[in-house]
Amino acid sequence: MRYRRTTAGVFSTLLAAVLAATAMPAQAFGQTATVAQMQAEPNQVQDVTVVQGDGYATLAWTHVDGATDYQIERTPIAEDGTATGNAVIVGVWRPNRQINNDKPTFADAGFAPGNRFQWRVRARFGTTAQPYSTAVSGATNAHWGNLSTPGQNLRTQWEDTLGAQYTSDVNEYAYTAAIDELSERVRVVEIGRTINNRPINMFVIGYPTPPATPEAVAATNPLAVNCNVHGNEPGDREACFIMARQLAFTDDAATLDRLSKTTVLIVPTINGDGRAANSRGNSTGQDLNRDYSLIRQPETQAFVEMVRDYRPIASYDGHEYGNTNTGDLPMLSPRHQNVAQGIFDESQNMIEGHMYTQGAKDGWWACPYGCTGASVGLGEETILRNTLGLKNTVNSLLELRSSGGPTRPDEGNTANNRRRKTYSALWTFTQFFAYHSANASNITTARAEAIKFQSANTGRIVFRGSRPIPAHPAPHPGDTPPPLDAPGQDQILNQPPCAYKLTEAQYNGARTDGPTGRQTTVAQRLAAHGWKVIKVADGYLVPLSQPERGLVPLLLDGQAAEGLVDGERIAPTLTGTHNGPLTVSGVACLAGATVRGPIKVQPGATLIVNGSSINGPVDASGAAGFVLTASTVQGPVNATGVRGPVVLVGNKISGPVNVVNNTGVAPLVAGNTVNGPLSCTGNTHAPVNLEVANTVSGPKSSQCARV
């Protein structure tokens, strides 16, 4: 594996700062050494401490040699220490639940926040229980926020009922509107509507105020949390409401500093219809987490368009999972083999390098989703974690174990179960914010390299297949690592085309795959993805030389597992050496070519150049479309009056570059090295660089001043 693993020490200071923003001051409860403790019974657990978190308490103790597991007991008590209820075994710690097995910790959760308890821990050898530790007691933290402070005193329906009720859509909209009204650092935007016309809202959070436009938000390298795609899995949604309040009203200086540099995007309920019905799918029964590439439904279209416009560099996607024998918090990175290596590596590092390390410190059991060998967590590009990976976003799936299982035996009580799930999700999202804060430069570097790699259109295309995920830590609670769906030869395209060509009927024709009255065309879906499309005389060209290249064939190739349309593969027209000037009429595609002379694109023609060397100027004045990626040009490049897409990514250009008076979508000018000036004027839409900077030795003027 090529991804990094960070140590726990790297994040200890950062975690303290983040928790200060999202929880009351931590209280640690320990016992001074008494005569009884110094004369401990054989195999009695020693040195028990309890640190209060946000909806959970972290117990730690000294490992007993030979112990096979530990039981954690909790007893409700009054302020004078007298019991007010029965002692209950609330947790079982097993050696396979974390990466530092010699330093056991357990995150006790499920209790009503603010109550007072006593905890004891005992080791077991097999099924034989050993003596309990000395008791440790204290009050847990109440719901976050001072009840006398406006904004902080907001509470969700779920909090007010101590988990007995989930927050309804009516209460969600009231709570969301109140945060929007009371906090200058929050703007709530409606990114779409469900089939039944419920708003799909998103919190946009920054300090002192959030950036005013999606483009301005994108420039801050934002992070995003998708909280509730399956309507009957609402635990993450409740955590997102709490996190939004915390970020909106915290006074913590470190958190405010980070919010001044980046923006947090929280989509609490993409599937409002399913949540209202407590159903997995939306109102048509569609599993929305199998629709992020195909975007047949208005809910997924809204989310994909948000990703296109706001461009989050990292994301988490919240779910719940029914296997009682897996971890508290199964997680999984984007596994599709078309995902750029750096995006996969950084996603794995976020999970294994940070979440596993901090989970071990705070007592949560994080593990890879699918660790018990179930046929889940595979490489389907329709699933959000894979779709986002193919969109060059570092991200992870989060699964909350739906029931307590053998390691949390007190969750037969529904409210206890709901509270544990929600507060474990809140812990995860808080840690995600911490990871993003500490690793923004690594994430942006991985993303920039991925955009240039994908735009270069090099390497094979895999239509369906996942990267392997090893069992970690070993030994793992499951017998096997997450399953591998390795691609067969019929799922691999070793020589990818230059572009796909669609007919008018394929591109703009009516579709039947979608809710009645809400079907969208292929043209609308490709626009939602943000892909560049070139109008030619007899159809439409979709070049592979663009940032989401790994996803394009999965929708447009007849060999795709779940494609939209069977597009025509357009092969390169020039791959060798051309001596002398080259004039392009119609469509020309150069791949790995050498041109020893100037290139002139006739008005209305299309030129796509990938991985080529050009010894001379390139003039695409009046072209239908112009794509130049991963190439070297000895001379000026001129894209003037192009009526379709202009794409310049990852090139080395010795000479001035002019991007002038183009009338199509915003020109993409990213990751180029230009030995000369870069001039961009008069374009209908200002050029963008997707936050992948260009290196320019000369002046950058007008519309390209910031690219």
Side-chain angles (χ1 to χ4, degrees):
M1 306 296 288
R2 284 187 265 177
Y3 48 87
R4 306 180 317 281
R5 289 206 177 119
T6 51
T7 62
V10 173
F11 297 100
S12 58
T13 302
L14 175 63
L15 177 62
V18 173
L19 288 182
T22 57
M24 290 184 174
Q27 306 171 50
F29 304 100
Q31 299 292 317
T32 58
T34 66
V35 173
Q37 286 177 295
M38 289 187 289
Q39 298 175 351
E41 299 179 61
N43 302 321
Q44 184 182 25
V45 169
Q46 299 292 306
D47 305 318
V48 176
T49 61
V50 181
V51 176
Q52 298 302 328
D54 205 350
Y56 69 96
T58 298
L59 282 80
W61 58 91
T62 299
H63 177 60
V64 175
D65 289 341
T68 52
D69 65 16
Y70 298 86
Q71 292 179 316
I72 294 90
E73 177 197 78
R74 185 178 71 220
T75 305
I77 60 172
E79 288 191 13
D80 63 3
T82 58
T84 59
N86 295 326
V88 178
I89 300 294
V90 294
V92 176
W93 185 94
R94 294 172 173 172
N96 59 7
R97 62 175 290 122
Q98 61 194 51
I99 60 176
N100 60 339
N101 291 332
D102 60 331
K103 297 178 181 179
T105 57
F106 185 85
D108 180 27
F111 49 76
N115 288 352
R116 182 177 292 272
F117 299 99
Q118 168 188 288
W119 290 270
R120 298 192 301 173
V121 181
R122 68 182 179 189
R124 291 198 302 182
F125 291 5
T127 59
T128 304
Q130 305 302 308
Y132 270 115
S133 68
T134 301
V136 180
S137 61
T140 61
N141 291 336
H143 295 303
W144 186 90
N146 190 321
L147 289 174
S148 63
T149 302
Q152 289 192 14
N153 61 3
L154 294 171
R155 297 293 183 268
T156 64
Q157 181 179 356
W158 182 88
E159 290 175 289
D160 281 338
T161 63
L162 297 177
Q165 299 174 12
Y166 286 116
T167 302
S168 69
D169 55 354
V170 173
N171 281 275
E172 171 186 342
Y173 303 141
Y175 178 85
T176 300
I179 290 178
D180 192 10
E181 179 181 357
L182 293 170
S183 177
E184 291 186 354
R185 69 186 75 149
V186 174
R187 181 174 66 254
V188 174
V189 298
E190 182 180 303
I191 63 172
R193 291 258 169 169
T194 68
I195 291 175
N196 290 338
N197 206 37
R198 286 183 168 86
I200 304 172
N201 289 324
M202 180 172 73
F203 293 99
V204 183
I205 307 175
Y207 183 80
T209 59
T213 64
E215 186 72 23
V217 170
T220 70
N221 294 315
L223 67 158
V225 181
N226 188 39
C227 311
N228 184 222
V229 63
H230 293 145
N232 59 351
E233 299 174 2
D236 305 89
R237 173 176 176 262
E238 300 295 344
C240 285
F241 291 143
I242 298 170
M243 183 181 183
R245 181 174 84 241
Q246 293 170 337
L247 294 175
F249 302 108
T250 183
D251 296 322
D252 176 68
T255 301
L256 297 182
D257 178 68
R258 188 57 198 158
L259 286 175
S260 72
K261 297 180 175 68
T262 191
T263 310
V264 178
L265 308 173
I266 301 175
V267 182
T269 319
I270 188 178
N271 186 10
D273 297 347
R275 174 78 288 271
N278 197 37
S279 63
R280 179 179 176 88
N282 69 353
S283 60
T284 71
Q286 172 65 51
D287 182 342
L288 296 178
N289 202 34
R290 301 299 185 275
D291 195 51
Y292 284 106
S293 63
L294 297 166
I295 49 177
R296 296 161 293 191
Q297 304 293 320
E299 296 93 343
T300 46
Q301 180 176 340
F303 192 88
V304 168
E305 289 176 343
M306 182 278 291
V307 172
R308 177 198 66 195
D309 295 340
Y310 288 84
R311 300 197 290 272
I313 64 170
S315 182
Y316 250 85
D317 181 36
H319 296 262
E320 298 181 23
Y321 180 48
N323 191 315
T324 62
N325 292 311
T326 192
D328 300 321
L329 299 168
M331 304 180 192
L332 197 62
S333 60
R335 298 181 66 192
H336 195 287
Q337 289 197 14
N338 289 355
V339 173
Q341 184 69 45
I343 296 297
F344 173 77
D345 289 348
E346 194 61 42
S347 300
Q348 280 291 93
N349 183 60
M350 180 172 68
I351 297 167
E352 295 193 3
H354 184 80
M355 292 299 182
Y356 287 7
T357 299
Q358 291 303 127
K361 178 180 177 181
D362 292 340
W364 295 107
W365 180 9
C367 71
Y369 180 51
C371 59
T372 54
S375 185
V376 296
L378 303 178
E380 302 101 311
E381 68 280 356
T382 56
I383 294 174
L384 183 58
R385 63 182 169 79
N386 286 317
T387 303
L388 285 178
L390 291 162
K391 289 178 174 288
N392 308 305
T393 301
V394 169
N395 81 97
S396 176
L397 172 84
L398 171 66
E399 297 280 351
L400 312 176
R401 190 176 67 228
S402 295
S403 61
T407 65
R408 295 186 179 273
D410 190 40
E411 291 189 14
N413 179 299
T414 299
N416 290 351
N417 173 256
R418 290 176 174 177
R419 289 191 288 258
R420 186 266 307 168
K421 287 188 293 186
T422 287
Y423 283 113
S424 68
L426 182 60
W427 176 88
T428 305
F429 299 150
T430 300
Q431 290 301 322
F432 173 46
F433 186 51
Y435 185 80
H436 180 280
S437 300
N439 293 273
S441 62
N442 293 332
I443 298 170
T444 55
T445 296
R447 182 174 175 274
E449 291 175 351
I451 287 172
K452 289 189 288 186
F453 165 75
Q454 297 284 16
S455 298
N457 190 21
T458 58
R460 69 181 190 174
I461 289 292
V462 172
F463 291 110
R464 178 62 61 81
S466 66
R467 296 174 183 268
I469 302 289
H472 181 78
H476 202 267
D479 294 330
T480 61
L484 176 67
D485 55 336
Q489 287 304 310
D490 62 338
Q491 297 170 311
I492 298 173
L493 181 61
N494 286 308
Q495 299 296 328
C498 170
Y500 287 94
K501 185 176 180 181
L502 307 181
T503 66
E504 178 68 30
Q506 288 175 318
Y507 189 64
N508 284 315
R511 303 277 301 191
T512 59
D513 56 338
T516 301
R518 302 288 294 271
Q519 296 97 338
T520 53
T521 63
V522 169
Q524 290 171 308
R525 299 185 203 187
L526 300 192
H529 280 298
W531 295 352
K532 310 299 184 185
V533 180
I534 302 170
K535 178 69 176 76
V536 294
D538 54 349
Y540 300 83
L541 286 182
V542 184
L544 264 71
S545 297
Q546 52 183 314
E548 296 180 12
R549 174 256 196 184
L551 186 56
V552 171
L554 309 187
L555 294 182
L556 303 185
D557 197 290
Q559 201 172 335
E562 295 184 67
L564 273 178
V565 64
D566 185 358
E568 177 189 354
R569 296 175 184 172
I570 302 299
T573 56
L574 178 60
T575 58
T577 299
H578 177 87
N579 293 311
L582 177 64
T583 300
V584 175
S585 59
V587 175
C589 178
L590 282 61
T594 298
V595 177
R596 295 173 177 155
I599 298 180
K600 171 64 178 177
V601 184
Q602 299 279 37
T606 296
L607 175 63
I608 301 172
V609 182
N610 171 245
S612 296
S613 176
I614 303 167
N615 187 12
V618 179
D619 183 8
S621 299
F626 176 43
V627 177
L628 178 70
T629 67
S631 295
T632 300
V633 180
Q634 300 293 329
V637 172
N638 185 36
T640 300
V642 179
R643 66 169 186 255
V646 173
V647 177
L648 305 174
V649 179
N651 302 293
K652 295 181 179 180
I653 301 171
S654 297
V657 175
N658 296 308
V659 181
V660 177
N661 295 336
N662 299 296
T663 58
V665 296
L668 174 58
V669 183
N672 301 288
T673 299
V674 179
N675 186 14
L678 173 60
S679 175
C680 303
T681 60
N683 300 288
T684 303
H685 301 282
V688 298
N689 68 353
L690 303 183
E691 294 69 59
V692 182
N694 298 279
T695 301
V696 181
S697 65
K700 293 191 292 184
S701 64
S702 190
Q703 292 176 315
C704 278
R706 296 185 178 181
V707 302

